[in-house]
Amino acid sequence: QEWLEASGGGLVQAGGSLRLSCVISIPSYTPWAVGWFRQAPGLEREFVAAITRFGKMTHYADFAKGRFTISRDVAVNTVYLQIDSLEPEDTAVYYCNLIDKWPVTPKGSWGQGTQVTVSS
């Protein structure tokens, strides 16, 4: 059973930056593509970005292009999401998940996520 834990969220002012981390634990080590998703209050969860098993390919939602950067460190089983020039509209709970079907279909159940709140 895979287990993913997202962290790094917080309260930031508009224009600031955050780096979210997703630590991945998989009983039988098989690199998976990993994605970030977010859910704002009252809205459905939406795809943000994904990265392939060894980080050679990435895919972004249209709104994420330019301000969001996904990366991974295979050695420490961690995927990152760098968010720059934060906007109040980025306020959401951010989740990570394995990608079942590239690039946007999540695989497993959802963890707790990490809250990002952007003040104007």
Side-chain angles (χ1 to χ4, degrees), residues 62-89:
D62 286 343
F63 72 82
K65 294 175 181 177
R67 296 191 299 116
F68 292 69
T69 304
I70 190 170
S71 61
R72 74 189 298 167
D73 186 337
V74 176
V76 294
N77 294 338
T78 302
V79 174
Y80 305 98
L81 184 69
Q82 176 74 32
I83 314 173
D84 298 317
S85 301
L86 278 156
E87 303 171 351
E89 293 73 23

Side-chain angles (χ1 to χ4, degrees), residues 10 13 40 57 75 87 97 106-107 109 112:
Q13 289 188 331
M57 187 183 304
E87 303 171 351
N97 207 329
K107 178 181 182 295
S109 57
Q112 289 188 334

